[in-house]
Amino acid sequence: MEAWLDDNVDFAHSYFVRKASREMVNAWFAERVHSIQPSREGSKALPEPLSSLPPLGSTEASSPSPAPSTPTRKISASEFDRPLRPIVVKGAEGSLTFLSDTERVQMPPPSSQKLSSGEGSDEGGGRGGDRCARLLELVRDVSSHLDLTALCHRIFLHTHELIAADRYSLFLVCEDSSNKKFLVSRLFDVAEGSTLEEASNSGIRLEWNKGIVGHVAATGRPLNIKNAYEDPRFNAEVDQITGYKTQSILCMPIKNHRDEVVGVAQAINKRCGENSTFTEQDEKDFSSYLAFSGIVLHNAQLYETSQLENRRNQVLLDLASLIFEEQQSLEVLLRKIAATILSFMQAQECTVFIADGETSNAFSSVFHMEYEELAGSMEFPNREGDVSKINYMYGQYVKNTMEPLNIPDVTKDQRFPWTSENPDYHVKSLLCTPIRNGKKDKVIGVCQLVNKMDEATGEVKAFNRNDEQFLEAFAIFCGLGIQNTQMYETVERAMAKQEVTLEVLSYHASAAEEETRALQAATVPSAQSLRLQEFSFSDFDLSDAETTQATIRMFVDLKLVQNFQMKYKSLCQWILSVKKNYRKNVAYHNWRHAFNTSQCMFAILRSGRLQNNLSDLEILALMIATLSHDLDHRGVNNSFIKRSDHPLAQLYCHSIMEHHHFDQCLMILNSPGSQILSGLSLDEYKTTLKMIEKAILATDLAVYMKRRAEFFELTKNSQFEWEDDCHRDLLRSMLMTACDISAITKPWPVQKRIAELVATEFFEQGDKERRELNIEPIDLMNREKRDKIPTMQVSFIDAICTQLYETLASLSDSCSPLLDGCRKNRQNWKLLAEQGDEAGLLNGGL
């Protein structure tokens, strides 16, 4: 059958035209076009993924595996849309070409017999025809090459066949970011027999219009120099270094189809001929060949540029993919963004500043990443120790101007004087660009790159205009990603807050109308009869009703009701609602603790003689804050809330419970019937709420430990100024802590009883940690370590309490009873610790 079809070609052709399916045509076409062998990942004609970048400063072609966070390049699905051969394939030598091997015209290998350079022979006409034919063959041999390195090497081989010189060099025209032209060698001083690897070099840069090569590039005219040392443009330094003697030089411009110089080819020392000089025929052959080679070189450069643009576009697509993949964590998103930028831009450091939405001249967070971390794990590095090394002034400048900033050398830039203040500053080149929101009308962040590295030498160089354009495009995607992630986090916080609010509302309720009327009608005892002004006050003998009456007495005696036109009924309902929003099943952090904290503040203001030094608004804020500072306490600390993944932990990054206490305080103050601040002006209302918030947050001992050194130093050096708002704010925070831990200053029987309540609550948390979190609690929470309580109490007094009460006593002598009570209890706890009397603890109150 096959033989018959071969004999009847017309029938076979007609039959297959009528009957052949698309799949048959595709199979026939693919069999004849796809000549290269497929790799493990398919037929990839494009360069390797951008993520496979070499180490910074390395000249190796191979590279370690990419960092986990660096995006991986994927083949475009458009390659498989049609059964057509790839536009670009690899030839037998591995170089990129438009033609596959099956389509390439097979040409005989270059003849060992060089083209004759003789003139005037009888066979000149024949030789001229041979010369033209061979020239066309050489041109066809390079016409399909797209890889610049392989193409330059092939041009070298052909040039040697044409003119038979001893050494060759080939330079290509380049431009920097300022459009200034220069020349870079692709081949330099190579000789016959040099392989592709040997001929390739890292690139020697020559100035435009300088030297013989620069002159030819600038003028576009060839030079045929008989004696190089007689030409003033010749630079003999290479001869001196290599010991090679340059005699004659033939230097030709390489032009594209627009007659623009795209390169310069140079031949040195003619091997044969009179005086080893190049002839006119050499010039003609060389010029004719380079006329075609210039077009091929230009095409290869265009291809290289298009590949670069393709890689850049792919990076942006990868980034877009990252943005849509990760919208839950801003930190994870910023790490991926920084990794992508660093891997592509070859910079030493990348810093992303996130603008503070509430403060115009500040950043809410900073993410910093260095190139070496690309090969690291996905764990986020601890940046607390490196924050001081990050100069945010450039980011602040870009944020304010909303314009990119490119500094080639920061040490020479006079606009920013802070760089000269630190001679050891490691930043040399810097590129900084604003990150805008989706509407492009607001800067939500700044991306800063430091020290662009030269891949060949490892030296620091300046960022160019291409880097600026890429980073600006990058910033558009970053802005979308950051804004989306921030919105996602905002929604998550809102949902968590809603969940917590629903939980609270289901547990609590406002004070009943009957309770409010009963308290409103009750006779409020005097402060003297209740001993409210005494530092040794104890609430153990008071009923719950008496504690609410005592609270009213404190507000009345401080003239808060009169000064701020509080409705008496609103005050009663507010106090009862606050009391109701403390959980009764919590052993220590309940209404009684809040009431005692408030009483201590009242005693400090009245008996401690600080009332006259504070404004009425400050006193109002402090009294509300002390009563509200532990609202809805759950009997567990911030650490437990974080580790148990409670919804509260999603709302706040620090001082979790303290923020929650303030939120509950605000909710009650805004509840109908409990609006005791309704008599304040708008400015007074805002000021009071701000002071209440700061005062409640100050009860977090972590906040106290950060701020107390400043307060102690001011008081010790007699530098505390009552007129200074910052000093007053610091004092209010210290007063809140002093009142919150004032149980340590009470008479010994009261102190022991309160310590028992604290220990009970702590031990309950320890039991929860064992049961729910499967962890061993610390000694303070471990009921099996209760015998260490006296020792821990002594440590607590020494570390937290003593210096605070000493400082308050130095500020006002009338506060000395607090210090005296603290010291007496330390002696008692110290005695118990030395005795190790566990039985005494159990029988005596703990």
Side-chain angles (χ1 to χ4, degrees):
M1 178 64 71
E2 185 175 348
W4 186 88
L5 289 174
D6 290 339
D7 293 337
N8 298 271
V9 177
D10 292 340
F11 174 83
H13 180 270
S14 174
Y15 178 81
F16 281 108
V17 168
R18 288 183 289 107
K19 298 293 185 176
S21 66
R22 180 182 180 89
E23 289 73 16
M24 293 171 62
V25 175
N26 291 346
W28 177 89
F29 196 81
E31 182 180 349
R32 284 157 176 76
V33 174
H34 291 285
S35 59
I36 58 175
Q37 295 298 320
S39 64
R40 294 181 182 177
E41 300 175 2
S43 300
K44 292 185 179 180
L46 296 178
E48 287 298 315
L50 181 63
S51 58
S52 303
L53 289 172
L56 202 58
S58 171
T59 58
E60 299 273 345
S62 60
S63 65
S65 59
S69 59
T70 308
T72 302
R73 182 60 42 77
K74 300 177 179 62
I75 299 175
S76 174
S78 62
E79 294 185 33
F80 307 102
D81 287 346
R82 294 174 296 173
L84 301 177
R85 68 173 176 83
I87 296 176
V88 179
V89 296
K90 287 186 178 181
E93 299 175 354
S95 59
L96 296 174
T97 175
F98 284 112
L99 302 175
S100 67
D101 286 351
T102 57
E103 296 175 329
R104 187 189 303 273
V105 177
Q106 297 296 327
M107 292 182 293
S111 173
S112 59
Q113 180 180 1
K114 306 294 184 291
L115 294 177
S116 172
S117 298
E119 299 180 39
S121 172
D122 293 339
E123 300 175 359
R127 290 180 179 175
D130 293 341
R131 193 188 313 277
C132 291
R134 184 57 184 155
L135 185 63
L136 287 175
E137 290 180 358
L138 296 180
V139 170
R140 291 187 63 184
D141 189 42
V142 298
S143 61
S144 60
H145 281 272
L146 292 175
D147 183 84
L148 273 175
T149 302
L151 176 60
C152 291
H153 184 258
R154 184 57 61 91
I155 290 174
F156 148 68
L157 294 176
H158 293 172
T159 303
H160 182 65
E161 182 177 343
L162 287 172
I163 60 177
D166 193 36
R167 300 288 176 94
Y168 301 90
S169 297
L170 194 151
F171 299 85
L172 296 183
V173 177
C174 300
E175 291 185 3
D176 59 17
S177 57
S178 60
N179 296 325
K180 183 180 179 181
K181 292 184 177 180
F182 59 94
L183 296 158
V184 173
S185 66
R186 283 288 184 160
L187 303 173
F188 183 75
D189 208 30
V190 297
E192 181 184 11
S194 298
T195 63
L196 176 62
E197 292 74 16
E198 294 171 347
S200 303
N201 61 81
S202 58
I204 298 174
R205 177 167 173 164
L206 298 181
E207 297 297 324
W208 192 258
N209 202 17
K210 186 177 181 180
I212 293 175
V213 174
H215 175 79
V216 170
T219 62
R221 293 193 297 270
L223 285 177
N224 189 348
I225 302 173
K226 309 297 182 181
N227 190 336
Y229 283 83
E230 293 179 357
D231 195 305
R233 293 164 297 192
F234 176 70
N235 185 354
E237 290 181 2
V238 176
D239 282 7
Q240 295 172 3
I241 295 174
T242 62
Y244 182 82
K245 175 68 173 181
T246 300
Q247 180 63 35
S248 58
I249 298 177
L250 179 58
C251 197
M252 287 280 182
I254 305 175
K255 299 182 179 181
N256 60 15
H257 62 286
R258 292 192 296 267
D259 205 37
E260 298 170 342
V261 176
V262 296
V264 175
Q266 178 178 266
I268 297 176
N269 293 351
K270 174 76 172 177
R271 283 193 169 183
C272 56
E274 186 177 353
N275 298 324
S276 298
T277 59
F278 295 96
T279 65
E280 288 185 8
Q281 188 62 45
D282 290 332
E283 290 185 40
K284 291 179 181 179
D285 292 342
F286 202 9
S287 177
S288 299
Y289 177 73
L290 292 181
F292 292 99
S293 299
I295 298 174
V296 178
L297 275 173
H298 182 66
N299 291 339
Q301 288 178 315
L302 289 177
Y303 173 75
E304 189 175 67
T305 302
S306 69
Q307 287 297 95
L308 177 62
E309 293 292 340
N310 179 66
R311 292 174 65 192
R312 288 183 173 179
N313 294 338
Q314 188 63 51
V315 170
L316 294 177
L317 291 175
D318 289 342
L319 178 62
S321 176
L322 288 178
I323 289 172
F324 289 108
E325 286 177 1
E326 180 54 64
Q327 294 191 358
Q328 298 184 4
S329 171
L330 183 61
E331 189 173 15
V332 173
L333 175 67
L334 292 179
R335 177 174 177 82
K336 291 184 176 181
I337 288 174
T340 306
I341 294 177
L342 283 175
S343 65
F344 187 86
M345 304 285 284
Q346 291 290 296
Q348 277 187 345
E349 300 173 7
C350 176
T351 307
V352 180
F353 302 90
I354 302 301
D356 191 333
E358 299 180 358
T359 306
S360 59
N361 292 322
F363 296 107
S364 61
S365 60
V366 178
F367 183 86
H368 181 75
M369 188 176 188
E370 297 179 3
Y371 190 92
E372 290 75 11
E373 296 173 26
L374 290 180
S377 66
M378 286 295 291
E379 295 181 3
F380 303 121
N382 183 3
R383 285 292 170 198
E384 293 182 0
D386 297 338
V387 172
S388 60
K389 299 180 181 179
I390 302 175
N391 193 328
Y392 65 92
M393 299 303 294
Y394 298 107
Q396 189 65 58
Y397 175 86
V398 170
K399 179 177 179 293
N400 293 338
T401 61
M402 300 180 69
E403 295 293 334
L405 177 67
N406 189 350
I407 306 178
D409 191 344
V410 297
T411 60
K412 298 178 181 179
D413 197 307
Q414 301 301 319
R415 293 174 296 174
F416 308 103
W418 56 78
T419 56
S420 59
E421 297 173 2
N422 186 2
D424 298 328
Y425 196 50
H426 71 287
V427 176
K428 185 175 181 181
S429 61
L430 179 140
L431 178 60
C432 205
T433 194
I435 300 174
R436 303 172 189 267
N437 61 353
K439 297 181 180 180
K440 306 294 188 298
D441 60 350
K442 182 181 178 183
V443 175
I444 61 175
V446 174
C447 181
Q448 175 177 294
L449 297 180
V450 167
N451 294 348
K452 182 176 178 64
M453 304 303 294
D454 189 295
E455 294 184 44
T457 64
E459 299 293 328
V460 176
K461 62 180 182 179
F463 293 92
N464 56 35
R465 179 57 187 160
N466 290 334
D467 296 329
E468 290 182 38
Q469 293 174 347
F470 177 78
L471 193 59
E472 288 175 16
F474 222 113
I476 295 175
F477 290 90
C478 294
L480 294 173
I482 291 172
Q483 189 175 26
N484 289 344
T485 304
Q486 288 176 332
M487 291 176 62
Y488 183 90
E489 291 181 344
T490 300
V491 171
E492 269 205 324
R493 284 196 297 269
M495 293 177 63
K497 193 168 186 177
Q498 181 185 27
E499 184 178 349
V500 173
T501 302
L502 291 175
E503 179 192 355
V504 172
L505 291 177
S506 65
Y507 185 88
H508 300 295
S510 298
E513 184 68 25
E514 296 78 11
E515 290 182 287
T516 302
R517 285 199 297 266
L519 179 58
Q520 187 178 1
T523 301
V524 179
S526 65
Q528 184 177 4
S529 65
L530 293 171
R531 301 176 59 196
L532 291 176
Q533 300 190 47
E534 298 180 12
F535 289 106
S536 60
F537 170 84
S538 171
D539 70 302
F540 289 138
D541 296 331
L542 299 181
S543 64
D544 283 352
E546 289 174 320
T547 59
T548 57
Q549 295 170 13
T551 305
I552 293 177
R553 171 53 59 193
M554 291 188 288
F555 272 71
V556 171
D557 285 6
L558 290 171
K559 299 183 179 180
L560 299 179
V561 179
Q562 304 92 311
N563 291 342
F564 299 105
Q565 295 84 45
M566 290 184 187
K567 296 178 181 179
Y568 192 72
K569 181 180 179 181
S570 297
L571 176 62
C572 294
Q573 181 168 331
W574 176 77
I575 292 173
L576 289 171
S577 296
V578 170
K579 173 177 173 293
K580 197 171 187 65
N581 277 268
Y582 279 95
R583 301 197 177 198
K584 295 180 180 180
N585 62 338
V586 177
Y588 176 68
H589 289 97
N590 50 35
W591 162 252
R592 291 292 180 137
H593 167 65
F595 170 71
N596 279 299
T597 304
S598 182
Q599 180 278 326
C600 183
M601 182 65 74
F602 178 76
I604 288 177
L605 294 172
R606 299 298 293 267
S607 302
R609 308 295 177 86
L610 291 183
Q611 181 178 0
N612 295 332
N613 293 320
L614 299 174
S615 68
D616 291 338
L617 278 180
E618 288 177 306
I619 294 172
L620 174 64
L622 287 172
M623 292 303 296
I624 293 176
T626 50
L627 277 174
S628 308
H629 81 280
D630 274 331
L631 276 169
D632 195 45
H633 200 290
R634 283 85 187 295
V636 293
N637 58 17
N638 287 329
S639 176
F640 183 88
I641 293 293
K642 285 183 180 180
R643 287 181 293 183
S644 62
D645 293 328
H646 194 279
L648 280 171
Q650 299 180 28
L651 293 177
Y652 318 105
C653 58
H654 63 88
S655 303
I656 298 173
M657 289 306 301
E658 287 72 25
H659 276 102
H660 177 59
H661 302 326
F662 172 70
D663 283 347
Q664 299 311 300
C665 170
L666 200 59
M667 181 185 71
I668 297 174
L669 285 173
N670 290 327
S671 298
S674 300
Q675 298 169 337
I676 60 175
L677 301 180
S678 59
L680 276 64
S681 68
L682 181 59
D683 289 340
E684 289 175 335
Y685 180 77
K686 290 181 178 179
T687 302
T688 303
L689 286 186
K690 197 65 179 177
M691 287 192 292
I692 293 173
E693 180 181 17
K694 289 184 176 180
I696 293 178
L697 293 181
T699 58
D700 184 355
L701 284 181
V703 176
Y704 161 73
M705 296 300 290
K706 290 180 180 179
R707 303 192 66 188
R708 67 175 189 167
E710 181 184 358
F711 180 67
F712 295 161
E713 192 69 19
L714 287 173
T715 309
K716 179 181 178 181
N717 298 329
S718 301
Q719 295 176 341
F720 184 87
E721 299 289 344
W722 287 99
E723 295 78 14
D724 191 314
D725 290 338
C726 293
H727 291 186
R728 295 171 74 93
D729 174 60
L730 192 57
L731 172 64
R732 293 194 299 271
S733 298
M734 295 300 110
L735 289 177
M736 287 296 298
T737 301
C739 296
D740 192 21
I741 61 175
S742 61
I744 205 70
T745 69
K746 301 298 182 180
W748 176 241
V750 177
Q751 158 64 183
K752 285 196 299 180
R753 188 170 172 182
I754 295 176
E756 181 182 17
L757 295 174
V758 175
T760 299
E761 182 176 310
F762 284 177
F763 292 158
E764 288 177 356
Q765 175 176 329
D767 295 340
K768 283 185 178 180
E769 290 177 349
R770 281 197 180 96
R771 183 175 61 254
E772 299 176 12
L773 304 181
N774 197 28
I775 61 174
E776 185 68 14
I778 61 175
D779 290 352
L780 188 63
M781 310 285 182
N782 194 341
R783 64 174 67 253
E784 297 175 2
K785 302 292 182 65
R786 63 179 297 119
D787 57 305
K788 295 185 178 180
I789 288 179
T791 302
M792 290 187 287
Q793 284 290 89
V794 172
S795 300
F796 175 74
I797 292 172
D798 291 342
I800 305 294
C801 309
T802 302
Q803 194 172 5
L804 174 60
Y805 292 124
E806 287 176 348
T807 305
L808 289 179
S810 67
L811 198 63
S812 174
D813 291 337
S814 301
C815 292
S816 297
L818 292 171
L819 177 61
D820 296 337
C822 179
R823 286 174 173 171
K824 289 178 181 177
N825 285 326
R826 185 191 186 283
Q827 293 175 357
N828 292 325
W829 286 117
K830 180 68 172 175
L831 182 61
L832 286 179
E834 291 173 351
Q835 293 175 351
D837 188 0
E838 181 179 355
L841 295 177
L842 295 173
N843 299 328
L846 279 178

